[in-house]
Amino acid sequence: MRLSRFFLPILKETPKEAEIVSHRLMLRAGMMRQEAAGIYSWLPLGIRVLKNIERIVREEQNRAGAIEVLMPTLQLADLWRESGRYDAYGPEMLRIQDRHKRELLYGPTNEEMITAIFRTFVKSYRSLPLNLYHIQWKFRDEQRPRFGVMRGREFLMKDAYSFDIDEDAARRSYNRMFVAYLRTFARMGLKAIPMRAETGPIGGDLSHEFIVLAETGESGVYCNSDVLNLPIPGEDIDYDGDLTPIVKQWTQPYAATEDVHDNARFESEVPNDKRIHTRGIEVGQIFYFGTKYSDAMKAMVTGADGAERLIHGGSYGVGVSRLVGAIIEACHDENGIKWPESIAPFRVSILNLKQDSAETGAACEELYDKLNAQGIDVLYDDSDQRPGGKFATADLIGVPWQILVGPKGLAEGKVELKRRVDGSREMLSPADALARFAA
C-alpha cells in the first residue's frame, strides 16, 4: 500500500477525552473515530489490526475443535425470559421493540440463543462433545464508557459454547479452551495469565479470566511470579489427549482477580519475593456453568442408556476489539505503538528520505514491488513529508520494520533497516534486506 493512496488521518494533538495510552494512540494514529460515547468507527489502519487479531482467534478455535457459526446481533426477549436473565441482567442490556411491538434486545452475550439452536437440532449423546463459536459485535450500555475500546459500549467478541453429556466431559471441554487461550494470546505477543475469577451474570462456579498485567488495567490482581515463566503449549498439542496436567501447571501458582482474592491463602502459599500485586487488563474469560441454561430451557439429549439428560455447558469469550487496546497498553513507548509482527497492520514500511530523488525513488519502487511479490504487507511512505515527519509517522503507527532509503546509503549500495520494538538499526544491501523478510 502506498501512503499517498491510503486513508491515514493522523492527529498531531492528543484529544482531550483520551485518558489512557491506548486510547490516545489509537486516535492519534488514525485507527478509529468516536461516533458516540463508547461507540467507534474503525478506520483502515485499525481494521487491519482487528482482522489480524480475529484471524489468530479463529485459527486457534478451529485448531481446538470448535466450529464457527454466526448469530444475529438482535435477540428475542422471550429467550432470555426462559433462562430468567431478561429482568436480572440490568440496565447494561439495550432493550428495544420492533414495529410489531415484539420485544428484542441487542445481544450482550449469546448463551440463550446458542442453547435454543442446540436443542432444536441435537438430540443424542452421539453428537457430543460439541463446541460452537462465533465472532460478532455486541452491545452493553456501560454507565461510564471510557478508555476507548477498553471499556466501550459496542465491541467485537468471540464467544464459544460447549455442550457435553456430563460434568467430566464438560471439564475436558473447559480444559481445551483453557489451553487454546494460552496459545491464542501468546501468538499475539502477550503474556496473558489465567486467574480465578467470579462468574458474574453468566453463572456457574468455575471461571478463569485471562489477564495481561498493566498498571492501567481496571482489575486488581494477585499472582505468584512463577506463573510468568511457564511454557506455552506448542502447535503439536493434542486436544484429544489429557490436558489436565497443563491446566494444573498453570493454575497451581496462586493467581486471582481482586474479587476472589484470598489474602490469607496468598500469604501462606506465595513467598514474599514472588508476590505480585498489580493491576491487569482482562482479554478473555472462560466459564463452566453446568446445567444452568439447559435446565431452564430444557436442552436435553438421549444418553447411551436411552434416558434423557440435561447437557452441561460452558462459555468462552475473547474481547477481540478490546485486545487492540490491551496490546497497545503492553507494547508502546513515548513515540507510539510497537506492534507484535503477528497482528501489525503492515509488517514493513519503506521510507523514501529524499522524495524528489530519482535514485531513491527507483530503489523504493523496487523494494516495494519485490516485497509485495513475496506476499509481505508493506506500507510505502511516498509522501512529501520531511524525513523527520516520516520517522514520526512510522514510529507512531508501530510498523515492526522500517526500511530507510536515502541518497547517502544508496551511494554505498545500502539501505538502513530499523526494528521498531527496540530501535536497533543496521545497514544492508537491498537484496539482504529483502532476504530478511523472505526468511
Side-chain angles (χ1 to χ4, degrees), residues 71 75 79-80 83 85 89 108-117 138 140 159-161 163 201-203 287 289 292-294 297 314-317:
M71 291 174 275
Q75 304 181 32
L79 275 178
W80 284 65
S83 72
R85 287 207 300 172
Y89 202 88
T109 184
N110 282 74
E111 282 80 8
E112 285 80 3
M113 183 170 285
I114 200 70
T115 301
I117 290 171
K138 299 187 180 299
R140 293 177 189 163
D159 299 283
Y161 303 92
F163 301 89
I202 300 298
F287 305 83
F289 46 69
K292 172 181 170 68
Y293 296 94
S294 59
M297 301 179 68
S315 66
Y316 315 92

Side-chain angles (χ1 to χ4, degrees), residues 149-295:
V149 298
M150 299 291 289
R151 190 177 291 180
R153 292 194 292 164
E154 186 181 53
F155 50 94
L156 187 62
M157 281 281 292
K158 186 282 303 182
D159 299 283
Y161 303 92
S162 61
F163 301 89
D164 288 279
I165 192 66
D166 56 29
E167 181 174 346
D168 286 345
R171 287 180 180 268
R172 287 194 291 272
S173 293
Y174 187 94
N175 289 349
R176 285 191 192 97
M177 287 294 101
F178 189 105
V179 172
Y181 276 36
L182 292 175
R183 285 188 42 77
T184 298
F185 299 125
R187 284 187 59 189
M188 297 176 194
L190 295 174
K191 189 73 169 183
I193 302 170
M195 298 193 173
R196 291 182 299 110
E198 287 278 12
T199 56
I202 300 298
D205 60 2
L206 174 62
S207 178
H208 286 89
E209 286 184 7
F210 287 76
I211 301 285
V212 177
L213 301 184
E215 288 296 336
T216 53
E218 77 277 52
S219 302
V221 294
Y222 295 80
C223 70
N224 184 327
S225 61
D226 287 347
V227 78
L228 300 175
N229 301 312
L230 292 174
I232 301 296
E235 288 189 9
D236 59 347
I237 185 70
D238 178 11
Y239 280 105
D240 292 323
D242 183 9
L243 301 176
T244 306
I246 296 174
V247 175
K248 282 186 175 179
Q249 182 184 30
W250 277 87
T251 55
Q252 188 172 6
Y254 187 99
T257 56
E258 204 163 37
D259 52 5
V260 297
H261 169 63
D262 181 340
N263 196 57
R265 181 182 166 193
F266 183 64
E267 292 183 357
S268 66
E269 291 186 7
V270 184
N272 274 330
D273 60 342
K274 294 187 176 181
R275 293 177 191 168
I276 297 176
H277 176 210
T278 182
R279 304 196 69 77
I281 301 167
E282 178 204 339
V283 290
Q285 188 166 6
I286 60 178
F287 305 83
Y288 163 65
F289 46 69
T291 60
K292 172 181 170 68
Y293 296 94
S294 59
D295 189 19

